[in-house]
């Protein structure tokens, strides 16, 4: 049975393992970690953080950036979603998140970094400017790289037949960007412009392990209407 779309087989988790995740419902970066944990079948405690009144534990565990997510395993804190996901994949075996081959793993890291540093900022800028023409053009340029990568690979997901690191990182485009498009009436990732990426978006958000880690869409839509002045 496909672990990424149907049913997860929990990996062995030691009885003494204590796993906590400091984040807030709706954080795309915290959601990444939740997807990774659910993919591995790891039990964890979710600790809701109020970013306007950050907990002492959060400030203690992440004194450098003072932000979520923070993952705590047996009292040892780890920050930054990509670092956390790689840690989870290395500590808990079972369903792999990163490829096993060194070159393919390096490529996955490249695309994950590209999404964080190029795609997400460009897409967010579109919503912040309410669809400024130049901002849309810049976002389209970045999204085209993902479209090309999916076209070349010809797979259901960036990770192949099952979701992997790149898919988890790109979940922002599939879900959060989609909610913002709905809230603001902006069409960015369309079937005409990006057929492969649009198909991937549908596959991603309909993947059960991803669904289980996503916040309610209607709340995100309402948030983006409020955030960008379209209430």
């Amino acid at each position: 049975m496909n672990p990424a779309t149907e049913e997860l087989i929990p990996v062995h988790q030691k009885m003494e393992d204590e796993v906590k995740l400091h984040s807030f419902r709706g954080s795309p970066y915290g959601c990444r970690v939740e997807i990774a944990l659910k993919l591995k079948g790891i039990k964890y405690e979710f600790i809701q953080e109020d970013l306007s009144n950050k907990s002492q534990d959060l400030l203690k565990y992440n004194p450098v950036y003072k932000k979520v997510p923070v993952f705590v395993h047996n009292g040892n804190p780890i920050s930054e979603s990509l670092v956390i996901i790689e840690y989870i994949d290395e500590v808990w075996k079972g369903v792999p998140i990163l490829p096993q081959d060194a070159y393919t793993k390096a490529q996955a890291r490249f695309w994950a970094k590209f999404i964080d540093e190029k795609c997400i900022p460009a897409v967010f800028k579109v919503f912040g400017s309410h669809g400024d023409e130049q901002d849309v053009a810049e976002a389209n340029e970045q999204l085209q790289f993902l479209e090309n990568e999916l076209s070349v690979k010809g797979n259901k997901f960036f990770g192949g037949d099952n979701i992997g690191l790149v898919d988890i990182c790109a979940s922002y485009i599939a879900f959060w960007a989609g909610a913002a498009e709905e809230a603001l009436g902006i069409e960015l990732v369309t079937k005409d412009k990006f057929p492969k990426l649009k198909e991937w978006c549908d596959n991603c958000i309909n993947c059960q392990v991803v669904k289980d880690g996503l916040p309610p869409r209607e709340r995100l839509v309402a948030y983006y209407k409020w955030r960008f002045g379209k209430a």
Side-chain angles (χ1 to χ4, degrees):
M1 189 171 287
N2 187 331
T5 56
E6 297 292 341
E7 182 179 336
L8 296 179
I9 301 173
V11 297
H12 177 67
Q13 187 168 359
K14 296 177 182 179
M15 292 297 293
E16 66 270 18
D17 273 349
E18 182 183 61
V19 179
K20 297 180 180 181
L21 175 62
H22 291 256
S23 187
F24 67 90
R25 298 298 181 189
S27 164
Y29 300 100
C31 182
R32 290 176 175 183
V33 180
E34 288 202 82
I35 293 171
L37 289 167
K38 292 177 186 299
L39 189 61
K40 293 284 189 177
I42 301 167
K43 294 180 181 179
Y44 63 97
E45 178 184 355
F46 184 92
I47 300 173
Q48 177 77 14
E49 289 286 348
D50 179 356
L51 298 190
S52 64
N53 184 25
K54 298 174 183 178
S55 72
Q56 288 303 307
D57 280 343
L58 176 62
L59 299 176
K60 177 181 72 174
Y61 289 141
N62 191 3
V64 177
Y65 292 112
K66 300 179 176 63
K67 64 181 183 178
V68 297
V70 172
F71 180 77
V72 185
H73 180 210
N74 292 335
N76 298 313
I78 303 167
S79 303
E80 298 297 301
S81 63
L82 293 182
V83 178
I84 295 169
I85 292 170
E86 289 214 32
Y87 176 85
I88 290 170
D89 195 43
E90 186 171 336
V91 172
W92 288 278
K93 303 307 177 183
V95 180
I97 296 175
L98 275 83
Q100 302 303 301
D101 172 73
Y103 177 76
T104 312
K105 183 182 293 185
Q107 289 295 301
R109 287 172 173 151
F110 169 84
W111 286 112
K113 189 175 177 67
F114 169 77
I115 289 166
D116 272 4
E117 294 185 355
K118 292 289 188 178
C119 281
I120 292 179
V123 169
F124 191 82
K125 191 175 180 182
V126 169
F127 302 135
S129 68
H130 298 282
D132 175 80
E133 186 176 345
Q134 183 176 344
D135 292 339
V136 170
E138 290 176 1
N140 284 342
E141 182 180 351
Q142 304 307 324
L143 292 171
Q144 188 63 51
F145 286 112
L146 297 182
E147 174 75 12
N148 295 344
E149 178 69 3
L150 286 167
S151 298
V152 169
K153 293 285 181 65
N155 296 322
K156 184 176 181 179
F157 298 106
F158 287 101
D161 293 331
N162 302 321
I163 66 168
L165 177 67
V166 182
D167 302 284
I168 293 173
C169 293
S171 60
Y172 173 88
I173 297 168
F175 189 72
W176 278 262
E181 286 178 290
E182 179 182 338
L184 303 177
I186 295 172
E187 292 188 341
L188 189 60
V189 183
T190 64
K191 189 173 182 179
D192 289 340
K193 290 181 185 175
F194 306 108
K196 290 295 184 181
L197 188 57
K198 182 64 175 174
E199 182 182 5
W200 170 85
C201 287
D202 294 338
N203 289 334
C204 181
I205 61 177
N206 284 308
C207 176
Q208 191 60 53
V209 73
V210 175
K211 273 185 180 181
D212 290 342
L214 294 175
R217 183 183 175 92
E218 61 273 14
R219 291 187 183 179
L220 270 184
V221 172
Y223 167 76
Y224 282 125
K225 286 181 178 179
W226 168 81
R227 171 68 174 79
F228 296 111
K230 290 285 186 178

